[in-house]
C-alpha cells in the first residue's frame, strides 16, 4: 500500500501536495539510501510537519533518516545526528504515545545511545500496539542483537521478513540477521 502511495504522490505537482503527500515523498527518498536522498527525505518531512504539526509520520521519517545516515557513515557529527534523531522521535511519541511507528523510531534511537533494555521494552509495546508493524519486529531484532542476545533476535527478524516478504527494506533484516547469528555463534547459518 505504501509503495502505491509513494508512486501516486511522485506524479503530483509540488504545489498540490498536502502533509500526507510530502510524507510519502519523504518515505520514498528514505528508501533510496543515498546521502542526497536522506537529506531530501528530511526536507520533505519538514514540509509535511509545517502543514500538519500534529502528525507523527514525518517526525519518524526524520528520525530514521538521521539513523540511516549514521549507519552509512555519512554523518558529519555522530552526536548531533543521534540527538536530532532522538529529538524527532521523542516529538512523535509526545504527539501520540499509542503510535507504534513512533515508539519504534524512539526505540531505534535508544539502541544508538546504548539503552537497549529500554529499546526492547519499547519495541514490545510497539508490537502490542501494532503486531503487523514490520519495523517494530525488525528493530526488536536489532535491539536484541546489540544487547548480545543474538539467538533471541532471529525470531523477530524472521517475523519482519514473513510479514512483508517484498518490502524494500528487507535487505536490512537479512543483513542484521546475519549479524545476530554471528553474535549467537551460529556460524554455519
Amino acid at each position: 500500500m505504501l509503495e502505491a502511495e509513494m508512486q501516486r504522490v511522485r506524479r503530483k505537482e509540488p504545489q498540490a501536495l498536502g502533509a500526507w503527500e510530502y510524507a510519502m515523498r519523504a518515505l520514498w527518498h528514505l528508501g533510496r539510501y543515498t546521502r542526497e536522498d536522506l537529506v531530501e527525505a528530511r526536507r520533505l518531512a519538514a514540509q509535511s510537519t509545517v502543514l500538519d504539526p500534529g502528525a507523527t509520520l514525518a517526525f519518524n521519517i526524520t528520525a530514521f533518516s538521521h539513523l540511516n545516515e549514521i549507519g552509512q557513515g555519512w554523518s558529519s557529527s555522530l552526536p548531533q545526528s543521534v540527538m536530532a534523531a532522538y529529538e524527532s522521535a521523542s516529538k512523535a511519541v509526545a504527539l501520540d504515545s499509542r503510535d507504534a511507528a513512533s515508539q519504534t523510531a524512539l526505540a531505534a534511537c535508544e539502541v544508538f545511545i546504548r539503552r537497549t533494555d529500554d529499546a526492547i521494552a519499547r519495541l514490545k509495546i510497539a508490537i502490542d500496539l501494532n503486531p503487523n508493524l514490520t519495523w517494530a519486529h525488525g528493530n526488536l531484532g536489532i535491539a536484541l542483537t546489540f544487547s548480545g542476545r543474538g539467538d533471541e533476535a532471529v525470531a523477530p527478524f524472521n517475523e519482519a521478513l514473513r510479514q512483508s516478504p517484498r518490502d524494500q527494506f528487507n535487505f536490512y533484516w537479512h543483513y542484521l540477521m546475519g549479524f545476530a547469528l554471528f553474535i549467537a555463534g551460529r556460524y554455519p547459518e
Side-chain angles (χ1 to χ4, degrees), residues 1 34 71 90 98 120 181 186:
M1 179 183 81
T34 70
S90 295
R98 298 200 42 80
I120 291 165
L181 292 167
R186 294 164 57 178

Side-chain angles (χ1 to χ4, degrees), residues 35-188:
R35 178 181 264 163
E36 296 77 21
D37 280 298
L38 293 176
V39 170
E40 181 66 3
R42 283 195 296 275
R43 186 188 74 75
L44 293 166
Q47 287 293 332
S48 178
T49 60
V50 166
L51 295 174
D52 188 355
T56 60
L57 180 58
F59 290 112
N60 296 332
I61 291 168
T62 299
F64 278 113
S65 73
H66 284 292
L67 296 177
N68 290 344
E69 198 170 64
I70 294 166
Q72 295 298 325
W74 296 329
S75 173
S76 59
S77 170
L78 185 64
Q80 286 178 355
S81 293
V82 170
M83 185 54 69
Y86 191 85
E87 286 174 2
S88 190
S90 295
K91 285 178 188 174
V93 169
L95 286 168
D96 186 357
S97 65
R98 298 200 42 80
D99 178 37
S102 298
Q103 293 288 351
T104 299
L106 187 54
C109 294
E110 289 171 334
V111 169
F112 271 86
I113 60 174
R114 297 184 179 165
R115 290 176 42 197
T116 53
D117 289 341
D118 293 339
I120 291 165
R122 186 177 300 282
L123 288 160
K124 289 179 179 179
I125 291 168
I127 291 169
D128 285 345
L129 290 169
N130 183 354
N132 297 312
L133 184 61
T134 303
W135 275 88
H137 291 281
N139 277 278
L140 178 57
I142 293 169
L144 290 166
T145 299
F146 282 91
S147 67
R149 296 157 61 182
D151 274 326
E152 291 177 60
V154 173
F157 286 134
N158 280 329
E159 183 61 16
L161 292 165
R162 185 196 69 75
Q163 284 186 1
S164 191
R166 292 181 181 83
D167 192 300
Q168 68 184 16
F169 297 105
N170 276 352
F171 73 91
Y172 200 50
W173 310 136
H174 284 289
Y175 164 73
L176 289 163
M177 186 172 352
F179 187 57
L181 292 167
F182 179 80
I183 295 293
R186 294 164 57 178
Y187 306 120

